[in-house]
Amino acid sequence: VYAKGGVFSVSLIVTNSSGCSDTLIRSPYITTVKDAPPDALKILTATVESDTSVYLIWNGSEASDFGVYALYRKNNISGKFEMIALTNDVNVTSFTDYSLNTLDNSYCYKIAAKDTCGNILDTENLQEYCTINVTARSTGDKIIVDWSPYIGCPVHGYEIYCNIIDNKMQFY
């Protein structure tokens, strides 16, 4: 029984009733895969690229039995994560999600790797990563800025910059 996936050598030792024996060794001979799904992945960036798209980058899988990446987005109505993309290229570690409304919505994502045996972590066991949605409105001589919190890694603070060009404020 092999507890871990890997490549293993096989040894066969045969001994007869007179005590004579012979050994046969085959190396490498058996390749096994583990029953557990690949390790959890991390989304490194979830960047709002435009009013209609989000660009994602994640760390690549190191699983020797990699099968596909499965990318999920939270449905803003049901609250459930739905698969939006699959790729079987272990080197593809980015994706642009189009046809969104980033002006009014924050979008949350999860990523998982599935191995060649079909083992994959359940979405409930994956870390959620969300974009930030920022709104600003003026009230007299003040501007009120609100935003959704970043979800996915610890944030120690937020910085907001304002620039005035032609008597119009621009935030960046």
Side-chain angles (χ1 to χ4, degrees), residues 144-162:
I144 307 296
V145 179
D146 293 308
W147 61 89
S148 60
Y150 180 77
I151 297 173
C153 66
V155 174
H156 303 291
Y158 297 93
E159 294 182 14
I160 299 172
Y161 298 91
C162 175

